[in-house]
Amino acid sequence: MPEKITYLYLDDNDKVTRDGDVELFNTISKDVEIKTDYPSSWKQRSKSIFTDLNHYDGIIIDWELTNQSQAAKEGSHEAEDVDFSAESLAEHLRVNAAKKNVKDIPIIICSADKNKAFSNLKNRELTRRDIFDLTYIKNDLFVKHVSESERQLFNLAIVYKLLQQSAFDVKAALDLSADELDFLDIRFLDTLEKISTTNTTHDLVYFLLQEFLLPEGLLINEQIVAARLGVDIEKSGDSWNKIKEVLVEEQICYKGLLSIGWSTYWSFKLVKWWNAISDKDLRTTSASTRVQVLNEKYGTTLIPAEKIKFCSSDEFWTVCKGTRRPLDPINGFIIGDYTSNPWLEVEYVSAYAELEKEDPNAWRISAIERVRFEKFKSKIVKND
């Protein structure tokens, strides 16, 4: 990693708490440093933020800016009461970046509590969420997952800089050859090209994150790779690590923009690799057979994943939204609505997870699936 990245963290807690929040992160992190400040008034901050950006590569903002105590203002020059929201400041920066008045930067929002309102923000239920690149729970960001959040903050800042310094090239951005691009949905490529030429850096980064890297579709995460290979990750131990090494050697891992912060795999490359080592159809083969093929080919002792309660098939292809365990979509129920882009997969939840969920707002079965679920539920109750 070639350079030190610095983020400004605006939080209305007192200075001791603010600095304490980031102390562990700064102690552990080698490539990212976070400096804190009190937000102050809109009059002050909306002007000073432009100067601030000369010294920072990104900004992290506390979601609820309500503390106006003297203790909170300590350490800030002539601080005034906070009279604006995180959304207001973020939009101010995005608008001015679009006008080329300031450089475009990553803007992160975080909160100390998993309250309902912030949960809705994380679930993309607030209309202005797309002004932020990422949302974090503070404890996850600064304490529990420092290594992961460091990679993500670093990679975000580097990609923002790269995109503003050089012309966008789709093959370089995705690290694919011209022939490999033919395996991708043309609608994805068309949208990507359009955003790269007509929108802001933030729009492009946001698209890559939210419509390409994070959801299941052209790219898939480790859990879904394991599901498609029929593997129980925890029970397989070092054997699963050996298979991951194989996937790296076979260049199935995504190595394009933002791949330092987020580890994903090409869906089409996984299928091509499987077809090269087996004549069995990956999608319609049982988990135990998939694992047998891998164990015989690579000398591993992988353990097949087991079906979730109430499921009948082990021809796994995705993971259950609730349990995060392998699931055949035929045994799942679609959640959410059909509002995603056509190159993305829909999400599924198992009947077991739906029946056992503690948070009623965690997900919602799609309207077209509710009747089917109620019939299935009645059948389970009757059998019990």
Side-chain angles (χ1 to χ4, degrees):
M1 295 183 178
E3 58 183 290
K4 190 88 168 183
I5 293 298
T6 306
Y7 277 76
L8 172 64
Y9 173 41
L10 296 178
D11 190 347
D12 58 353
N13 274 319
D14 61 84
K15 185 176 182 346
V16 173
T17 302
R18 287 198 306 267
D19 292 345
D21 282 342
V22 303
E23 181 179 7
L24 177 62
F25 183 99
N26 286 335
T27 300
I28 296 175
S29 175
K30 296 180 180 179
D31 300 290
V32 177
E33 181 181 11
I34 300 175
K35 297 183 179 180
T36 76
D37 196 9
Y38 178 73
S40 197
S41 68
W42 175 257
K43 179 180 178 181
Q44 288 186 330
R45 184 58 66 181
S46 62
K47 294 180 180 179
S48 66
I49 194 65
F50 298 124
T51 304
D52 292 337
L53 295 191
N54 293 327
H55 310 289
Y56 299 102
D57 304 297
I59 184 170
I60 303 170
I61 313 175
D62 180 39
W63 183 52
E64 292 185 303
L65 303 176
T66 58
N67 187 355
Q68 301 177 352
S69 69
Q70 288 302 124
K73 299 173 187 176
E74 181 183 348
S76 297
H77 181 64
E78 296 182 354
E80 298 178 355
D81 288 348
V82 181
D83 57 0
F84 64 92
S85 65
E87 290 90 343
S88 298
L89 181 59
E91 185 171 28
H92 181 60
L93 290 171
R94 294 301 184 206
V95 169
N96 278 278
K99 293 178 179 179
K100 308 297 184 182
N101 294 332
V102 294
K103 65 180 180 181
D104 219 345
I105 59 164
I107 304 179
I108 315 299
I109 192 167
C110 63
S111 175
D113 303 308
K114 292 186 178 181
N115 54 54
K116 182 178 179 181
F118 192 70
S119 176
N120 285 343
L121 184 71
K122 289 178 69 63
N123 289 327
R124 303 171 67 186
E125 293 174 5
L126 296 183
T127 58
R128 304 175 76 184
R129 185 208 186 285
D130 62 357
I131 59 178
F132 302 106
D133 293 284
L134 295 170
T135 62
Y136 287 101
I137 299 299
K138 285 185 184 179
N139 196 47
D140 293 339
L141 174 61
F142 298 132
V143 180
K144 290 176 63 177
H145 307 299
V146 171
S147 295
E148 178 181 325
S149 46
E150 178 195 14
R151 290 196 309 272
Q152 292 175 354
L153 293 178
F154 177 88
N155 204 190
L156 266 178
I158 292 298
V159 168
Y160 262 87
K161 290 184 178 185
L162 176 65
L163 291 174
Q164 292 175 90
Q165 293 171 354
S166 57
F168 182 82
D169 177 78
V170 66
K171 294 192 294 294
L174 302 181
D175 192 35
L176 292 178
S177 67
D179 290 339
E180 289 173 327
L181 287 180
D182 290 338
F183 286 91
L184 305 187
D185 191 308
I186 189 63
R187 293 164 293 186
F188 165 74
L189 294 175
D190 183 64
T191 304
L192 180 59
E193 290 278 13
K194 181 179 179 181
I195 292 176
S196 70
T197 56
T198 62
N199 292 60
T200 66
T201 301
H202 164 66
D203 292 326
L204 179 54
V205 172
Y206 185 82
F207 175 79
L208 288 171
L209 276 173
Q210 304 299 334
E211 305 297 340
F212 176 56
L213 269 164
L214 299 181
E216 177 184 354
L218 301 174
L219 298 178
I220 51 179
N221 63 30
E222 181 182 345
Q223 288 180 316
I224 296 176
V225 170
R228 294 187 181 185
L229 297 180
V231 177
D232 185 312
I233 294 178
E234 292 185 2
K235 292 181 180 179
S236 296
D238 288 339
S239 284
W240 175 245
N241 291 329
K242 183 174 181 178
I243 295 300
K244 287 202 296 181
E245 291 174 0
V246 172
L247 298 180
V248 172
E249 293 170 0
E250 297 293 334
Q251 300 183 354
I252 297 169
C253 300
Y254 171 68
K255 292 298 182 182
L257 292 178
L258 298 170
S259 59
I260 294 175
W262 290 267
S263 176
T264 55
Y265 302 80
W266 286 108
S267 177
F268 81 90
K269 286 190 176 185
L270 183 72
V271 174
K272 285 183 65 179
W273 165 70
W274 176 267
N275 291 340
I277 66 171
S278 174
D279 59 0
K280 301 180 186 299
D281 179 65
L282 181 61
R283 178 65 185 89
T284 59
T285 300
S286 68
S288 57
T289 301
R290 299 175 195 179
V291 165
Q292 182 181 358
V293 168
L294 294 173
N295 285 340
E296 292 177 355
K297 173 70 176 178
Y298 297 105
T300 51
T301 55
L302 298 165
I303 304 298
E306 297 180 357
K307 298 188 292 288
I308 302 170
K309 187 176 182 180
F310 305 131
C311 290
S312 59
S313 170
D314 66 351
E315 295 175 359
F316 305 129
W317 201 246
T318 187
V319 294
C320 166
K321 176 73 172 181
T323 65
R324 305 310 300 170
R325 290 173 54 193
L327 177 71
D328 184 340
I330 198 172
N331 290 145
F333 297 89
I334 297 172
I335 60 176
D337 300 308
Y338 284 103
T339 56
S340 63
N341 283 309
W343 56 84
L344 300 180
E345 302 286 345
V346 296
E347 290 186 290
Y348 292 88
V349 68
S350 64
Y352 173 77
E354 174 66 18
L355 293 170
E356 296 294 322
K357 73 176 179 182
E358 298 179 357
D359 180 3
N361 298 311
W363 63 79
R364 188 165 181 258
I365 290 181
S366 173
I368 64 171
E369 293 274 59
R370 287 173 203 154
V371 172
R372 185 170 75 91
F373 173 74
E374 290 301 325
K375 289 181 178 179
F376 189 84
K377 179 180 176 180
S378 298
K379 187 184 299 185
I380 293 174
V381 173
K382 183 178 180 181
N383 291 337
D384 286 347

